[in-house]
Amino acid sequence: ERCAELLARTVAAEAELTRTVAQLESLTQEREANRAILESAATDVAAAQNEAQMKREESSRAAAAVSDMEFRQEQARAGVMDILTNASRVRNQITQNEENCAALDRESERLNREVAAAFGDIEAMGGKRGQLGLEFETESQRVDALSGRIREVRGQIDEKRAAETVAKQHLDSMRAEFATLLGKRNSLESIINEHGYSTESVKRLFQSGALAEGRAPVGVLADFLAVDNKYESVIEDFLRDELNYVVVKSWDAADEGLRLLQTGVDGRATFLVHPSDAQAKFSFAVDESMKPALPRDTIVPLTRCIQVLDGFGKSLEVILPKLRGGFIAPDAGVARELALENPDAFYLAPNGETFHNVTVTGGKQRNEGPLSMKRELRDVLKLIGEVERDIHSETARIQELTHEIHDLTSLLSRLEGELREAEKQAMTHGHALQQMESEISRTQQRVNGYRAEIDRVTAQRTEKEAATAGLREMLVQHETQREQAESAIAILQQELGNLRIARESAGQAVADMSAKLAGLEERHRSASASMQRIETLRAEVGARVESLRTQIASSVAEREQREAENVQISERLVALSAEREVAQARAAELHAESEQLRSRLAEIEQELKQARHEMDAARDRKGELAAAHAKLQSDFTYMNESCLNDLGIPADELRADTSIALVEGETLVTEDNLYREMRSRLDAMGPVNMMALEEYKEAAERHAFMETQRKDLLDSIENTQNTIKEIDVVSRQKFEEAFNIINENFQRTFTKLFGGGQGFMRLTDEENSTESGIDIVASPPGKKLQNVLLLSGGEKALTALSLLVGIFQYQPSPFCILDEVDAPLDESNVGRFADLVREMSSHTQFILITHSKRTMNAAPVMYGVTMQEPGVSKVVSVRFGDEAQRASA
């Protein structure tokens, strides 16, 4: 499709190229024609411009003459005005100089008095300044020392916290690693303990539990082998079947296992009897002469790679001929040659292939076998120990850092407190010192100013007197100059009329020539614009020609490339289709294997859960039996000791005496309770008291007195309780009465202040009004009911004022002070607030602190504080009129 599109685009571009070339030729011809018109228009414009220039020069000369004459006339008039102004100014200056001389005399006397007072103030403040300077310097040094110490402590804290953060991150990573290792260890131990690597028959044999006591298997052969890590996978593939041999301690155990496999457990298994069994009829000694000689130095016998554990020793070479005659070759080629030379031996290649005689065994190696699992478990246990030690070490280090940070933080808090106190003292002394310096400086400046004023006043008075005499002479000269200037203005007025007539005729000629020149210039601009447009179109058409040629070339090249790509894509499509079919078949196989493994894993999990449940039940039963045994043992010991202590006869003799009747069941319980009661009564009696009768009489009298006191107390308690109940009833009634009235007042005031809406109070616990809290619910106009805490600042202020007014209406107060309560309110709400205060002021005096002009307008009296001089405050009061008059107005 792209190739067809490119072919069509190429044909269209070639057609457009032909049209564009023709258009370019026509534009070239049109440009030549316009060029001749442009040259003719330029010649006409030049001639007209020269003629217009001459007319303009004539008009300019006439206008210049008129302007010059007007300027001279204006100068003459301005001179007359200046003379008049100067004369008037001179008269005013003479009057002002006389007044200033009298004022300067008074000012000089006042300044002399101020200078004497200022010198007295400077002498008083000099001593106090020295003391404040010394105190400020001391506190400043203390602040610098504390600041340096605080910076040092903060640096230490930052370092410790950074180290603590790094340590915690390291500890978290180690804990995560430790948890991963524990999970891996548990998984490996579970697989190894359940023989997850064995065949299904061996697993079922171990899981059935039928072989018990002395016939129980001790494991599989894989549990008795330790293999060099380098050859682990090769030996696992070679001894795949032998590693699943079930190791038993005797032939009887092997016979029992075979019987189970034939009857109760499905499958087949191989049993390996331990060499220590007495029924063995042959020697397990290894005949060294029967071992084949090593053909090459690079061949490694399997017996060197495997370490046999728990008593098998070299006997395993006799039991397993494959082990005795097995070797590891460096590669598959050498193994094949050696297998042909030694038909009785087994040669293993590093890739897992096994060569024996003329047979070769191979295939995909298993990912993990029993030997690799056990080796991995040993590595995991070692890593767990190392990580656990590192965790303990890092935890101790973090605790040490935390303790150090806590100590440094406490030190920092104490130092910051001291620094704040020192800065406060330094600031106080500094402000006092600055204020003192400012006072001295201001006083000195006042003195200097006063002196300068005195000098200035004296000089001004002298100048004023001299200037007054000169001004009187100047006034006479101004009168003479005014008369001369008025006669010159009359002559200039006549000459100005003649020059204006000549200027108007020259201006008309210039206007006619300008109109002609404008027409010629418009013709020239039109020709120039047409020429420029043709040049622009010609450049655009030329660029389009080059663009079309380039587009045609690129389309041809791209079409050739697309055709080559089509061939490659077809070949790639065939290969990908085959690969997809292979992948789909492999995915089906893997899905089937995954389902089998999931079902088996679910069965194993269920069996493990059942076994753990049974084990927990057995442990609980064992604990109960142990507790019962301990209790019985304790009771038996107690009974023996009681027989010796109470009767003086050993318990064994009492049990042997047949004349003593045995008591059981309910009778035993009754007799035991009777014994305990009599025993307690006997112990309570104690020895015989000869003064018992006198003591009884005293006790009886004391008892009678206490009974009388007790009765009085009970009566008093009853009266008090009745009084409390009465107080509770009255207080509840009073509270409910006050709450209801205040709530009604609050609702009315809320509606009045907000201009609508709804607001009320409610108890949080209506059943217990004396212990209940109070919620305020408000709904300004246009909003839903909500708690007062959810309102805006102005709405909260109005709601609080409504509640305050409701309380005042219920229990009026002589006066009330409100401090800027109208600050968050807008103008309309301030007006409602002012009206409410004015209404309540009939029975309560309000004192308002405010910045609102509207609130001030509602008050009959206003107090303010002003500072006419620096540091000196003064209270100013304004009374706006009588309240009765304002009310009537």
Side-chain angles (χ1 to χ4, degrees):
E1 291 175 357
R2 179 62 177 169
C3 291
E5 179 184 352
L6 292 172
L7 181 60
R9 184 184 296 177
T10 302
V11 173
E14 289 176 351
E16 185 179 358
L17 177 63
T18 303
R19 292 194 302 271
T20 307
V21 170
Q23 183 181 3
L24 180 63
E25 293 176 355
S26 65
L27 289 173
T28 303
Q29 296 174 0
E30 185 178 357
R31 181 187 64 180
E32 295 299 330
N34 283 319
R35 183 173 295 168
I37 296 172
L38 180 62
E39 292 175 354
S40 173
T43 304
D44 294 341
V45 168
Q49 286 178 347
N50 292 331
E51 187 176 357
Q53 183 65 28
M54 294 172 61
K55 297 292 183 180
R56 288 194 193 97
E57 291 177 356
E58 292 177 2
S59 177
S60 298
R61 285 193 294 271
V66 172
S67 298
D68 182 56
M69 186 58 66
E70 289 177 349
F71 178 72
R72 290 169 59 190
Q73 186 180 15
E74 289 297 326
Q75 283 184 338
R77 289 177 178 174
V80 172
M81 294 302 298
D82 289 340
I83 293 170
L84 293 174
T85 301
N86 291 334
S88 177
R89 179 173 55 80
V90 168
R91 292 189 185 95
N92 293 333
Q93 288 178 355
I94 291 172
T95 304
Q96 290 176 358
N97 288 341
E98 293 175 351
E99 294 176 354
N100 289 337
C101 287
L104 290 173
D105 292 336
R106 295 190 297 271
E107 183 70 13
S108 178
E109 294 177 359
R110 185 186 66 81
L111 291 175
N112 289 324
R113 292 194 300 271
E114 293 289 343
V115 168
F119 275 119
D121 294 340
I122 291 174
E123 292 177 359
M125 290 185 289
K128 191 174 180 181
R129 180 182 61 180
Q131 182 180 358
L132 289 174
L134 181 60
E135 294 176 354
F136 176 71
E137 184 177 358
T138 303
E139 293 296 335
S140 299
Q141 293 176 357
R142 184 185 173 200
V143 167
D144 294 338
L146 289 173
S147 299
R149 180 58 178 159
I150 287 174
R151 286 194 297 272
E152 180 181 353
V153 173
R154 283 178 178 167
Q156 294 176 358
I157 291 175
D158 293 339
E159 293 176 359
K160 298 293 183 182
R161 284 178 176 166
E164 182 186 25
T165 302
V166 173
K168 286 181 178 178
Q169 293 175 353
H170 187 207
L171 179 61
D172 293 340
S173 64
M174 287 193 296
R175 284 176 176 167
E177 182 182 359
F178 184 71
T180 303
L181 292 174
L182 286 178
K184 191 173 183 180
R185 182 199 67 183
N186 296 334
S187 176
L188 290 173
E189 288 179 347
S190 176
I191 294 174
I192 293 172
N193 293 334
E194 296 176 5
H195 297 85
Y197 48 80
S198 302
T199 62
E200 294 297 325
S201 300
V202 174
K203 290 181 185 177
R204 286 194 291 269
L205 183 63
F206 276 95
Q207 294 171 0
S208 65
L211 296 175
E213 298 180 355
R215 298 181 179 180
V218 296
V220 295
L221 183 58
D223 298 334
F224 296 87
L225 299 180
V227 182
D228 190 354
N229 297 342
K230 182 168 60 174
Y231 306 110
E232 198 172 69
S233 59
V234 177
I235 293 175
E236 279 183 345
D237 289 334
F238 177 60
L239 300 177
R240 178 187 299 270
D241 298 330
E242 287 79 0
L243 292 176
N244 287 317
Y245 285 0
V246 180
V247 179
V248 295
K249 295 181 179 179
S250 63
W251 283 97
D252 295 336
D255 294 339
E256 182 66 20
L258 292 174
R259 185 185 64 77
L260 288 174
L261 290 173
Q262 294 171 357
T263 58
V265 180
D266 295 335
R268 296 178 60 83
T270 302
F271 292 88
L272 176 60
V273 182
H274 199 277
S276 61
D277 182 39
Q279 300 182 28
K281 301 300 183 180
F282 61 90
S283 173
F284 290 99
V286 180
D287 188 1
E288 299 293 338
S289 62
M290 296 298 294
K291 292 185 178 180
L294 296 178
R296 301 182 184 179
D297 295 338
T298 57
I299 305 302
V300 181
L302 291 183
T303 54
R304 296 183 186 175
C305 305
I306 299 176
Q307 179 183 1
V308 184
L309 311 174
D310 296 338
F312 277 99
K314 292 186 177 181
S315 62
L316 195 59
E317 299 182 26
V318 179
I319 298 172
L320 299 178
K322 291 174 66 176
L323 182 62
R324 182 178 66 250
F327 301 91
I328 298 177
D331 54 47
V334 174
R336 183 172 62 251
E337 294 176 0
L338 294 174
L340 296 175
E341 296 174 0
N342 301 281
D344 295 332
F346 295 85
Y347 294 94
L348 282 66
N351 59 0
E353 297 177 353
T354 303
F355 296 89
H356 174 65
N357 203 329
V358 291
T359 64
V360 59
T361 304
K364 186 177 180 181
Q365 294 181 341
R366 292 190 298 176
N367 293 331
E368 288 188 355
L371 301 178
S372 60
M373 287 183 184
K374 292 182 179 181
R375 186 259 307 161
E376 187 175 0
L377 179 60
R378 291 193 299 271
D379 296 340
V380 169
L381 291 175
K382 182 179 178 182
L383 287 175
I384 286 175
E386 295 176 355
V387 173
E388 192 170 6
R389 288 192 298 272
D390 293 341
I391 288 175
H392 291 320
S393 174
E394 199 67 21
T395 302
R397 181 166 173 265
I398 291 174
Q399 292 176 352
E400 182 181 356
L401 288 173
T402 303
H403 181 68
E404 292 178 356
I405 290 172
H406 181 268
D407 294 341
L408 289 173
T409 305
S410 301
L411 177 59
L412 179 60
S413 300
R414 182 173 58 81
L415 291 175
E416 287 178 344
E418 294 179 0
L419 178 60
R420 286 193 294 272
E421 187 63 28
E423 287 178 344
K424 187 187 298 181
Q425 293 294 331
M427 188 177 298
T428 302
H429 293 313
H431 287 170
L433 182 60
Q434 290 178 358
Q435 185 176 2
M436 187 61 64
E437 291 286 351
S438 300
E439 288 294 332
I440 294 175
S441 177
R442 285 197 296 269
T443 305
Q444 189 66 42
Q445 290 175 0
R446 287 210 313 268
V447 171
N448 296 334
Y450 293 154
R451 288 177 174 174
E453 284 292 321
I454 292 172
D455 296 339
R456 182 183 61 79
V457 166
T458 303
Q460 284 182 354
R461 192 175 186 287
T462 304
E463 291 176 359
K464 295 295 181 183
E465 292 176 351
T468 301
L471 289 173
R472 294 183 186 279
E473 297 176 357
M474 192 180 299
L475 180 60
V476 177
Q477 297 176 0
H478 287 328
E479 290 295 335
T480 305
Q481 292 176 358
R482 181 177 64 82
E483 294 174 357
Q484 296 175 355
E486 287 177 351
S487 60
I489 289 174
I491 298 171
L492 291 174
Q493 185 66 30
Q494 186 178 359
E495 294 178 359
L496 179 62
N498 297 331
L499 291 175
R500 282 177 177 170
I501 295 172
R503 182 189 64 181
E504 290 175 359
S505 61
Q508 184 63 36
V510 170
D512 296 339
M513 196 63 205
S514 297
K516 180 180 178 181
L517 178 61
L520 294 174
E521 288 179 348
E522 181 63 27
R523 179 188 173 195
H524 181 268
R525 281 195 299 271
S526 176
S528 299
S530 178
M531 188 68 181
Q532 186 176 3
R533 178 182 59 79
I534 293 172
E535 289 291 342
T536 303
L537 289 175
R538 187 174 179 280
E540 292 177 354
V541 171
R544 181 60 181 166
V545 169
E546 294 298 328
S547 174
L548 290 173
R549 289 173 180 171
T550 304
Q551 183 178 353
I552 292 171
S554 64
S555 299
V556 173
E558 184 179 357
R559 186 180 65 185
E560 294 175 355
Q561 179 183 1
R562 294 288 182 175
E563 291 174 351
E565 288 178 356
N566 286 340
V567 178
Q568 297 176 0
I569 290 172
S570 300
E571 297 174 355
R572 180 60 177 164
L573 179 62
V574 175
L576 290 175
S577 300
E579 185 178 351
R580 181 184 63 185
E581 294 175 357
V582 173
Q584 289 177 348
R586 178 58 180 164
E589 295 176 0
L590 292 176
H591 182 70
E593 293 178 2
S594 173
E595 292 299 328
Q596 294 177 1
L597 290 175
R598 286 196 183 96
S599 61
R600 180 56 186 159
L601 182 60
E603 294 174 2
I604 292 173
E605 289 289 341
Q606 187 63 30
E607 294 172 359
L608 178 60
K609 187 182 298 182
Q610 183 65 24
R612 287 176 177 170
H613 180 71
E614 293 175 357
M615 183 177 67
D616 293 338
R619 286 177 180 170
D620 295 341
R621 180 59 181 163
K622 179 181 178 183
E624 294 175 358
L625 294 175
H629 177 268
K631 184 177 182 301
L632 292 174
Q633 187 68 29
S634 175
D635 292 343
F636 181 76
T637 304
Y638 174 73
M639 292 299 294
N640 289 337
E641 294 177 354
S642 298
C643 289
L644 288 175
N645 295 333
D646 296 344
L647 304 177
I649 303 173
D652 295 336
E653 294 181 7
L654 290 175
R655 296 190 191 95
D657 190 356
T658 57
S659 62
I660 301 175
L662 296 178
V663 182
E664 299 179 354
E666 294 294 333
T667 307
L668 176 61
V669 176
T670 304
E671 293 293 334
D672 185 62
N673 292 335
L674 182 60
Y675 161 75
R676 295 180 183 278
E677 182 180 356
M678 295 299 293
R679 186 70 181 177
S680 62
R681 292 174 62 187
L682 182 63
D683 293 339
M685 289 175 64
V688 178
N689 185 9
M690 302 304 293
M691 300 296 293
L693 184 59
E694 289 79 3
E695 292 178 357
Y696 170 74
K697 291 179 180 180
E698 293 178 1
E701 294 175 359
R702 179 66 176 168
H703 179 265
F705 174 75
M706 295 300 292
E707 280 292 332
T708 305
Q709 296 293 322
R710 177 177 177 274
K711 185 176 181 304
D712 293 340
L713 287 174
L714 291 176
D715 294 340
S716 300
I717 291 172
E718 184 177 0
N719 294 332
T720 304
Q721 290 176 347
N722 293 332
T723 305
I724 291 173
K725 291 179 181 178
E726 182 179 358
I727 291 173
D728 289 340
V729 172
V730 174
S731 63
R732 185 178 292 106
Q733 293 175 352
K734 292 292 184 182
F735 173 78
E736 291 176 355
E737 178 185 356
F739 179 78
N740 294 330
I741 295 175
I742 292 174
N743 198 9
E744 293 176 0
N745 297 337
F746 171 62
Q747 294 177 16
R748 288 195 303 270
T749 309
F750 184 89
T751 305
K752 183 185 298 183
L753 283 178
F754 278 90
Q758 181 184 4
F760 59 89
M761 298 186 297
R762 65 186 179 188
L763 299 176
T764 58
D765 185 5
E766 296 182 356
E767 300 297 331
N768 186 11
S769 60
T770 57
E771 301 292 336
S772 173
I774 298 176
D775 282 339
I776 299 178
V777 181
S779 174
K783 293 188 178 181
K784 62 181 181 180
L785 282 173
Q786 55 188 340
N787 192 286
V788 69
L789 299 177
L790 302 178
L791 299 178
S792 64
E795 292 170 343
K796 286 181 182 178
L798 283 182
T799 305
L801 286 172
S802 302
L803 180 58
L804 179 64
V805 172
I807 296 173
F808 267 51
Q809 291 174 349
Y810 173 72
Q811 188 72 32
S813 176
F815 66 92
C816 176
I817 299 177
L818 301 178
D819 186 1
E820 294 193 29
V821 296
D822 56 352
L825 305 181
D826 54 13
E827 286 297 323
S828 60
N829 288 328
V830 170
R832 296 193 189 101
F833 164 69
D835 295 339
L836 181 64
V837 172
R838 187 184 297 110
E839 178 183 345
M840 294 184 61
S841 61
S842 60
H843 51 77
T844 300
Q845 181 182 6
F846 284 91
I847 300 174
L848 305 180
I849 300 173
T850 181
H851 289 279
S852 174
K853 297 180 180 179
R854 196 161 185 177
T855 305
M856 298 177 190
N857 190 35
V861 180
M862 184 167 64
Y863 295 91
V865 179
T866 181
M867 188 180 292
Q868 295 179 350
E869 296 183 8
V872 180
S873 300
K874 182 179 180 182
V875 178
V876 179
S877 64
V878 179
R879 183 175 298 276
F880 296 108
D882 187 65
E883 289 190 21
Q885 295 176 358
R886 295 177 67 249
S888 61

